[in-house]
Amino acid sequence: MTELSLLERLSGSLRDSLRRGARSGEGEEKPLSIELSKARALYLRARIVARTGNIPLAASMFADAAALDPEFADALEAEGAMLDLTGQEDLARARYDAARLSRARNRPGPPDRPFYARQRGPYVSEIISYSSARQSLRRNVLPLIARGNAYLAQGDAGRALADYDRALKLRPGLPELLALKAEALVALGRHQDALELLDEVLAARPRDAGALNTRGIVNMALGKIAEANADWRLQLEIAGGRPAVCAYLALRLADYEAALPHLEAASQADPRDPYFRLYLNAARMRLGRQSLGGAPVTEEGWPGVLLALQAGSVGDDAVLAQADTIGRRAEALFQMAILKAATDPAAARSRWQEVVEQGPHDLVEYAAARNELARSS
């Protein structure tokens, strides 16, 4: 078993086993001295207050942190724990439920991506725990990898890169670590540097699915469309019978015929995931078939508004008004292009071009849009 695969088994338990005794900012590494958001900084202070035994004050501070960031599941959960300790079980249960719903809304990255790239959201508690583990396991790469992954998941690619570099000093040339470092470089926009590392990883491990996926993203960002597609086709071959993974890979290739059966299977396996229905409708429309019926959709929430767009119940302006991130805007523009492709190819190409110019490079829609444009040029 590699150290990285061992990490996958340990990462879940490390958080629980180390949380109570975690200390921050020890030694020469002080990962928590960075400027955090007000909510995260308040959360960290509340943890210290809780350790002093002032449970009511800690509960209030956790509540204030959650008020600043309503999706801060750790703060909601911690407030619930404080309420539990003071006998307020009903209120505690409500906070636990809110934390659970927040985590459910925090959609992970696409299923074709490697596990460390699928994680999203704030990982303050994990960073504290892994920092503590780092103090007692100075010659072990696992805490560094885990903390780097936590930084990467919450969008701090610079600190992730620093931890991966520290780990590489302990284990030079380890392919799993080189792949992780490449992932951080991609997040920092250093695509050429990432490509060199990924070439090295894949020279040693030609069928490494995660590295193939990341190199495909890098090549596509660099305009190397054929090379990107070759990586994804090989990953598709490796993926075997995993419908969700295969569906997303075929969508990156804009191969809707190949994507369709995988999307159907994935949608049946997880009918609660609205993206499978969204992409299944898109594939059917791109193939000249009718979109699927089903329960009525409204423009409330994301990607519900995109399903409403497909159903014809909202227009482009209403959708774009809810596209509050560059990723969502790219998703919206892509679906608008799908709707226009059969009747107004020029308008569809214009929308796809916007996706390429504005969208994050790791989005499925970005790759599909580049393939659509390459095919129609």
Side-chain angles (χ1 to χ4, degrees):
M1 179 181 293
T2 67
E3 287 186 312
L4 196 58
S5 62
L6 177 61
L7 169 66
E8 294 184 55
R9 291 173 177 254
L10 292 178
S11 58
S13 60
L14 269 176
R15 172 181 170 178
D16 295 331
S17 63
L18 298 177
R19 177 178 293 185
R20 291 188 179 182
R23 302 180 300 279
S24 63
E26 297 183 35
E28 76 279 13
E29 297 175 24
K30 297 185 178 181
L32 299 178
S33 65
I34 63 174
E35 182 179 357
L36 299 172
S37 70
K38 291 182 180 179
R40 295 180 190 182
L42 187 56
Y43 169 82
L44 294 174
R45 290 198 295 272
R47 286 173 58 100
I48 296 171
V49 170
R51 291 195 192 101
T52 70
N54 193 339
I55 302 305
L57 178 57
S60 175
M61 294 173 71
F62 284 129
D64 289 342
L68 288 168
D69 181 1
E71 294 301 307
F72 197 167
D74 278 357
L76 290 164
E77 193 173 66
E79 184 191 358
M82 299 300 101
L83 292 169
D84 249 344
L85 290 173
T86 56
Q88 302 178 70
E89 295 180 1
D90 289 342
L91 287 175
R93 190 177 301 111
R95 297 301 186 272
Y96 293 143
D97 288 343
R100 177 179 53 79
L101 290 172
S102 173
R103 289 194 173 96
R105 286 191 295 269
N106 188 22
R107 180 174 173 79
D112 59 319
R113 301 286 283 123
F115 85 95
Y116 46 80
R118 294 196 298 269
Q119 315 309 309
R120 302 280 173 83
Y123 282 81
V124 179
S125 293
E126 286 81 354
I127 290 170
I128 294 171
S129 296
Y130 298 138
S131 297
S132 178
R134 169 73 173 140
Q135 303 309 312
S136 56
L137 299 171
R138 303 295 296 180
R139 301 299 300 174
N140 195 309
V141 298
L142 291 179
L144 286 169
I145 294 173
R147 192 175 65 181
N149 290 348
Y151 279 134
L152 194 62
Q154 67 178 27
D156 194 345
R159 283 183 170 79
L161 180 61
D163 272 350
Y164 298 148
D165 277 335
R166 291 186 186 104
L168 281 166
K169 288 180 180 178
L170 296 173
R171 292 296 303 274
L174 187 67
E176 293 95 334
L177 273 171
L178 294 176
L180 286 166
K181 180 176 179 178
E183 199 72 42
L185 290 170
V186 172
L188 292 168
R190 294 170 56 183
H191 294 108
Q192 190 58 49
D193 291 339
L195 183 59
E196 293 173 7
L197 288 180
L198 292 163
D199 285 344
E200 185 177 344
V201 171
L202 287 163
R205 301 168 53 158
R207 294 174 70 84
D208 184 317
L212 283 167
N213 190 278
T214 305
R215 191 172 71 175
I217 288 170
V218 169
N219 276 323
M220 190 62 83
L222 294 172
K224 300 178 179 181
I225 297 174
E227 291 89 339
N229 289 343
D231 281 339
W232 289 326
R233 288 193 185 96
L234 179 54
Q235 189 187 359
L236 189 57
E237 175 187 320
I238 295 167
R242 300 163 63 192
V245 173
C246 293
Y248 273 71
L249 288 168
L251 285 170
R252 288 187 191 275
L253 296 165
D255 187 344
Y256 304 105
E257 193 74 54
L260 193 61
H262 297 301
L263 286 167
E264 289 171 343
S267 184
Q268 290 173 5
D270 190 1
R272 294 173 300 177
D273 189 327
Y275 275 93
F276 288 135
R277 182 178 172 190
L278 178 73
Y279 291 145
L280 180 54
N281 282 339
R284 290 181 65 86
M285 286 188 284
R286 197 68 185 97
L287 293 169
R289 308 175 193 178
Q290 289 185 335
S291 61
L292 297 176
V297 293
T298 69
E299 65 271 22
E300 295 181 6
W302 197 275
V305 67
L306 298 180
L307 288 163
L309 176 72
Q310 289 180 336
S313 58
V314 298
D316 291 3
D317 290 343
V319 173
L320 291 174
Q322 291 195 42
D324 54 358
T325 67
I326 57 172
R328 287 182 172 181
R329 182 174 176 84
E331 290 178 14
L333 292 168
F334 183 83
Q335 295 300 330
M336 292 172 192
I338 292 287
L339 288 167
K340 296 177 185 295
T343 58
D344 192 347
R349 285 195 298 273
S350 177
R351 289 301 199 190
W352 279 319
Q353 186 62 45
E354 288 184 77
V355 174
V356 170
E357 291 172 353
Q358 302 174 20
H361 297 147
D362 62 340
L363 274 189
V364 169
E365 287 81 359
Y366 177 88
R370 292 209 77 153
N371 271 310
E372 290 277 12
L373 290 170
R375 198 170 297 154
S376 62
S377 61

